[in-house]
Amino acid sequence: MRTTTIFSLLIIFCLKIQAQTVFEGSVIDAQGKAGDAIVTVTSKGNSSVLAFAETDSKGDYRLEVNSQSDSLTITAAGMSIGQQVKIVANRSQRLNFRVTEKVLQLKEVEVHAKKIRQNGDTLNYSVGAYQQQGDRTIGDVLKRMPGIEVSDNGSIKFNGKSISKFYVEDMDLLQGRYGLATGNINAQDVGSVQVLENHQPVKALQGRTPTDDVAINLK
């Protein structure tokens, strides 16, 4: 009985090996250069991918697939070559693709960033949304941002409350001398202005000791 079971398992194993089909070959262009592509295998008339492989630096690929279909659809596709499809018998074989370069035309897309974006206690102002022709320093732009006031001496308030810290790339380099930044940093060098509400400058106390301080950070 045990011998019969082992023999049956060997037969099943051999049938599985026989059912495995291997496709290998290369994808090259008209000049004989390697093509950057993904090669996929599907059953004829079925879109489900049974196996796939990427070409290597030489344009070569190798696929192993188990399928009972009499024929299979092999497709080589890439961004710069479009796609090429071949329907072949379900047997191990070498299958080469000679492809032609295809220029991909991308539609023009316009991206409009939000003027103000909130993330928790942080307000992010887009400098480009408030900057006008003739603005020289970041102070000129800050004056147009809703809720932000900049006095002639460079002091800054947010919603009527004086800020407690002024950071440049998360670093307190000015030690309270905000006028140096507002009057000297070029507006074109700043991507966004962050208003940090409920700001706790001591990292060990962040999330533990509440505060109503407000800080500004230039990114």
Side-chain angles (χ1 to χ4, degrees):
M1 180 68 178
R2 185 176 178 182
T3 304
T4 304
T5 302
I6 295 174
F7 184 70
S8 299
L9 290 173
L10 286 172
I11 293 176
I12 293 172
F13 180 75
C14 291
L15 288 174
K16 285 186 176 180
I17 292 177
Q18 291 176 353
Q20 189 176 70
T21 305
V22 177
F23 293 100
E24 56 184 355
S26 59
V27 179
I28 56 177
D29 61 18
Q31 286 75 40
K33 296 180 181 179
D36 186 13
I38 295 179
V39 184
T40 58
V41 181
T42 60
S43 297
K44 185 179 178 181
N46 192 324
S47 59
S48 298
V49 176
L50 302 176
F52 72 92
E54 291 184 69
T55 55
D56 60 20
S57 59
K58 297 180 180 179
D60 296 331
Y61 73 92
R62 190 177 190 277
L63 283 167
E64 296 180 1
V65 60
N66 290 316
S67 175
Q68 300 301 318
S69 298
D70 294 332
S71 59
L72 298 170
T73 301
I74 317 295
T75 304
M79 289 289 291
S80 61
I81 63 173
Q83 68 175 23
Q84 188 176 126
V85 179
K86 293 185 178 184
I87 299 175
V88 298
N90 185 5
R91 58 178 175 79
S92 296
Q93 56 185 291
R94 182 171 182 83
L95 197 62
N96 296 327
F97 291 85
R98 183 172 289 273
V99 296
T100 55
E101 187 176 4
K102 180 181 179 180
V103 178
L104 183 65
Q105 292 285 351
L106 297 177
K107 293 183 179 179
E108 184 177 343
V109 176
E110 291 186 8
V111 178
H112 300 279
K114 292 183 178 180
K115 288 185 176 182
I116 304 176
R117 178 172 49 85
Q118 184 165 7
N119 183 15
D121 291 333
T122 302
L123 289 174
N124 294 273
Y125 291 80
S126 172
V127 172
Y130 294 95
Q131 188 174 1
Q132 294 182 1
Q133 187 175 5
D135 286 343
R136 186 177 59 85
T137 67
I138 189 60
D140 298 329
V141 186
L142 284 170
K143 294 175 182 178
R144 295 195 194 89
M145 294 180 173
I148 298 178
E149 303 172 46
V150 181
S151 65
D152 293 337
N153 64 4
S155 63
I156 303 173
K157 292 182 179 181
F158 177 72
N159 288 340
K161 182 179 179 63
S162 296
I163 66 171
S164 61
K165 291 286 184 179
F166 191 98
Y167 300 103
V168 178
E169 290 290 352
D170 302 312
M171 294 181 289
D172 186 11
L173 303 175
L174 306 173
Q175 301 296 321
R177 294 170 294 175
Y178 311 142
L180 292 176
T182 57
N184 292 280
I185 294 179
N186 194 316
Q188 295 182 347
D189 294 334
V190 184
S192 65
V193 173
Q194 293 181 322
V195 175
L196 314 174
E197 298 184 272
N198 304 316
H199 178 61
Q200 173 56 263
V202 182
K203 290 187 177 181
L205 300 178
Q206 289 177 359
R208 296 181 180 181
T209 304
T211 171
D212 60 354
D213 288 345
V214 180
I216 280 183
N217 181 43
L218 303 185
K219 302 288 286 186

